[in-house]
Amino acid sequence: MVAFTARAHTNIALLKYWGKADQKLIIPTTTSISLTLNEFYTETTVEFNDDLANDQITLDHQPLKAKDQKKIINFLDLIRAQANINTYAKVESFNHVPTAAGLASSASAFAALAGASAAAAGLDLTPADLSRLARQGSGSASRSIFGGFVQWDRGTDHQTSVAHPLQEQVDWPIQLLTVIVSDQPKKINSRGGMQNAMQNSPFYQSWVERSNALVKPMQTAINQHDLATLGKIAEQNALEMHAQNMVANPPFFYLTDISWKIINLVQELRENGLKVYATMDAGPNVKIISHPDDTQKIEDALHTILPEITIQVATPGPGLKIWQNGATHA
Ligand code: PMV
């Protein structure tokens, strides 16, 4: 069968997904909102081939660890069931994002895999269908099907738990400065972390209620191009997510002393009049939501306290692209 390639960009949640109401289907406890990023993406090629005796999967030319391999095979099984085929696949993936370092590489990975494998299996799916499919690989992947600002509706079942764009073309100044505290894979992955928080945090229910209540104000901030309100809500929501982890029994932490230094600096810069806000995911890296005109000032301030730190600028990015191998693409 024909090989297809898909490119999907990572996204950073401004309102986080942190807990599953349904473990198997990956239905979240909250509605989340994200920004897709231009600079970080995954490109994946899939070909179902009758000559294969098993699935062959590589990431950046390397075979995957058994555990990760299993996740991809499970995902391919969903595709095979839907397409009514039982052919094995060759999957080649290239990550243009530090893997598992809190930069949500699983989001771009499963969105790209959904796009390439569905096309290679001959399935003709809508973007919403691809979002539902990607969601079953990794929750945040449901949002990486679309560009710009994206909302993943919590929903109640497979059909209703799906992402949709809020603003695909972001034509106003907003960026994320990603401060790389560590590019090592995290110790507690997001799946384990959110389960811990759900089961062991005394305030989990309040997280769900407070996070869902922020959806409308966040939508309004996006519609009004209101960087200050957007950033303030995102920072509050990120800190509340991390607070769940810190008060869980046993507690666990993604943020390190360096992460906190950066968060403190962001507060200080804000007191000095800059529109800068921090958001953090299941890892120590800090993303600074900011105005592109302030990049130099923020970088200088960061380098004063952390001379060696790596900073990557990320701007709003596009949704999923799929093309047949050999064909030209945008
Ligand atoms: O999709 P997962 O299982 O990698 O979980 C993502 C969790 C966070 O990145 C912390 C939040 C989010 O909404 O992306």
Side-chain angles (χ1 to χ4, degrees):
M1 286 171 88
V2 201
F4 277 84
T5 300
R7 180 192 299 162
H9 292 249
T10 59
N11 69 78
I12 296 295
L14 305 171
L15 291 183
K16 309 292 184 194
Y17 144 56
W18 199 239
K20 298 177 179 63
D22 182 317
Q23 299 282 342
K24 191 164 176 289
L25 282 174
I26 312 197
I27 311 288
T29 54
T30 60
T31 289
S32 55
I33 293 180
S34 59
L35 180 62
T36 300
L37 302 181
N38 198 29
E39 286 72 12
F40 307 127
Y41 59 92
T42 303
E43 232 171 67
T44 298
T45 301
V46 178
E47 181 182 14
F48 289 92
N49 188 330
D50 287 327
D51 297 336
L52 294 174
N54 48 42
D55 289 319
Q56 289 181 5
I57 305 160
T58 56
L59 172 62
D60 297 327
H61 297 296
Q62 304 295 322
L64 288 184
K65 281 191 248 145
K67 201 175 99 223
D68 294 331
Q69 187 116 356
K70 185 85 185 61
K71 276 198 217 162
I72 308 289
I73 293 173
N74 288 346
F75 191 86
L76 292 170
D77 285 342
L78 290 176
I79 297 281
R80 282 186 275 257
Q82 208 165 326
N84 213 4
I85 55 173
N86 44 27
T87 321
Y88 290 110
K90 186 172 173 207
V91 178
E92 273 187 316
S93 202
F94 296 94
N95 239 352
H96 300 265
V97 46
T99 304
L103 285 182
S105 63
S106 66
S108 53
F110 278 101
L113 181 64
S117 59
L123 293 170
D124 187 15
L125 301 183
T126 64
D129 289 335
L130 287 170
S131 170
R132 293 183 188 96
L133 189 60
R135 189 198 75 231
Q136 293 172 89
S138 177
S140 54
S142 65
R143 299 184 307 239
S144 270
I145 300 298
F146 304 101
F149 291 102
V150 180
Q151 176 168 321
W152 172 17
D153 289 331
R154 168 185 51 172
T156 49
D157 56 18
H158 179 60
Q159 194 61 23
T160 53
S161 188
V162 62
H164 55 92
L166 291 174
Q167 196 178 94
E168 288 222 80
Q169 297 300 329
V170 183
D171 54 4
W172 55 283
I174 181 167
Q175 68 174 11
L176 264 118
L177 292 183
T178 300
V179 190
I180 312 286
V181 173
S182 162
D183 61 1
Q184 293 305 303
K186 56 214 170 198
K187 286 197 203 88
I188 306 172
N189 63 20
S190 50
R191 196 167 289 222
M194 63 179 79
Q195 205 162 330
N196 274 355
M198 242 183 121
Q199 288 168 356
N200 304 324
S201 162
F203 306 128
Y204 188 76
Q205 201 42 44
S206 135
W207 150 260
V208 171
E209 283 156 22
R210 291 175 59 84
S211 196
N212 282 326
L214 292 175
V215 171
K216 279 239 147 57
M218 181 58 92
Q219 287 174 343
T220 306
I222 291 168
N223 283 338
Q224 297 181 345
H225 303 182
D226 181 350
L227 178 64
T229 306
L230 178 155
K232 196 166 165 285
I233 299 173
E235 184 174 295
Q236 176 194 339
N237 185 255
L239 288 170
E240 289 191 15
M241 178 196 118
H242 286 273
Q244 295 302 320
N245 310 335
M246 288 188 244
V247 297
N249 183 15
F252 60 103
F253 311 97
Y254 288 111
L255 305 176
T256 65
D257 50 347
I258 300 179
S259 317
W260 284 113
K261 265 194 180 165
I262 299 165
I263 296 166
N264 289 337
L265 179 73
V266 166
Q267 280 195 337
E268 223 172 88
L269 290 173
R270 206 153 60 218
E271 279 156 21
N272 291 331
L274 285 196
K275 286 183 184 166
V276 283
Y277 308 87
T279 184
M280 296 76 61
D281 293 289
N285 295 332
V286 180
K287 295 99 185 180
I288 304 179
I289 302 164
S290 50
H291 191 294
D293 288 352
D294 295 331
T295 310
Q296 197 58 50
K297 276 189 203 154
I298 303 165
E299 288 189 347
D300 288 349
L302 281 164
H303 282 135
T304 309
I305 58 161
L306 298 162
E308 305 296 329
I309 206 88
T310 305
I311 305 158
Q312 279 166 335
V313 179
T315 52
L320 181 74
K321 288 196 178 62
I322 308 170
W323 63 92
Q324 189 175 328
N325 274 33
T328 48
H329 64 278

